Amino acid sequence: SVTASAYIERGAAWFAKGDYERALADFDLAIASDPGHAGVYYNRATVRCYLQDYERAIADFTRAIQLDPHLTKAYVDRGWARSKLGDLDGVISDCDKAIELESRLALAWNNRGLARGGKGDHAGALADYNQAIKLDPRRPEFYNNRGVARLRIGDFSGAISDQTQAIKLKPDFVEAWSDRGAARQSKGDLDGALADYNQAIKLSPRFADAWFN
């Protein structure tokens, strides 16, 4: 309806400004006006993720999927919300469906890799990161995630190579500096590890992982 469209557009504007409560209120009104619009449930779910209301976000993503079973991004983002609640099997299930619908969606492969790694399946995670990087080789977090998987299976040189590439793509990537430090430490290069930890701390003094490795 025209009324629902107006609320959707204003809600999107509030969201763009970072006013999530007002965006949420407008998406509530849009749904009340037109409860059959999958995109509004998706938008409201996204706002709820920003507000860290993950259970309600999952409910909205689920409703969006019921209304539009081919809304691939809803599966990917519902999986991300599920990861915040520790539901790794749910993440894998959602990413499986997203990949089935759109096999070239690099983020779905990456997110499934994270969930697999979280369950201890580092070889499965590595395979997913390989595919994510093949599809989108410009995402520094994909390389860093693969580096962590390689570290977990004892491939320290591979981990260092991936984290170096992540840093090349994003020089202020604190986690990549810290993770490369961990890989260098595991390989016995303590001077290199200290240099990387120092850089992580320099970039983000509150980055605790670098202090406690």
Side-chain angles (χ1 to χ4, degrees):
S1 70
V2 174
T3 305
S5 296
Y7 286 130
I8 292 166
E9 289 170 9
R10 191 173 69 180
W14 286 126
F15 180 78
K17 285 177 66 70
D19 192 334
Y20 304 127
E21 295 290 354
R22 283 179 169 167
L24 187 65
D26 272 344
F27 293 140
D28 284 343
L29 291 167
I31 288 167
S33 177
D34 180 6
H37 194 301
V40 190
Y41 284 99
Y42 175 84
N43 290 351
R44 190 171 71 176
T46 302
V47 173
R48 285 178 160 162
C49 284
Y50 275 84
L51 293 170
Q52 299 182 2
D53 185 2
Y54 299 116
E55 289 186 4
R56 288 182 179 175
I58 289 166
D60 276 347
F61 285 132
T62 300
R63 184 60 183 145
I65 288 165
Q66 288 168 347
L67 291 166
D68 182 359
H70 291 89
L71 191 61
T72 309
K73 62 185 179 179
Y75 290 100
V76 175
D77 291 347
R78 185 175 69 178
W80 183 85
R82 284 175 159 172
S83 76
K84 292 296 184 178
L85 298 179
D87 178 11
L88 299 182
D89 289 329
V91 178
I92 291 168
S93 174
D94 276 343
C95 290
D96 285 346
K97 185 62 180 179
I99 290 165
E100 178 189 321
L101 290 169
E102 195 173 333
S103 63
R104 298 189 60 77
L105 194 62
L107 188 60
W109 291 94
N110 174 76
N111 291 1
R112 191 174 71 177
L114 286 169
R116 284 178 161 175
K119 287 176 64 70
D121 178 11
H122 302 302
L126 188 60
D128 280 347
Y129 296 139
N130 286 341
Q131 185 65 16
I133 288 167
K134 182 179 177 182
L135 291 168
D136 188 354
R138 300 296 300 170
R139 295 284 291 267
E141 66 272 27
F142 293 176
Y143 289 98
N144 194 58
N145 291 340
R146 188 173 70 178
V148 171
R150 285 178 159 168
L151 175 63
R152 296 282 185 266
I153 62 173
D155 179 9
F156 305 135
S157 295
I160 291 165
S161 174
D162 274 342
Q163 282 137 7
T164 299
Q165 180 63 19
I167 290 165
K168 182 179 177 182
L169 290 169
K170 186 181 177 185
D172 63 348
F173 194 171
V174 177
E175 290 86 351
W177 286 100
S178 181
D179 289 340
R180 192 176 71 174
R184 285 179 159 170
Q185 185 175 351
S186 296
K187 199 177 179 185
D189 177 11
L190 297 183
D191 289 339
L194 283 169
D196 281 348
Y197 293 146
N198 285 340
Q199 183 64 20
I201 291 163
K202 181 180 176 183
L203 287 167
S204 181
R206 295 183 181 180
F207 189 68
D209 283 352
W211 291 96
F212 293 114
N213 269 293

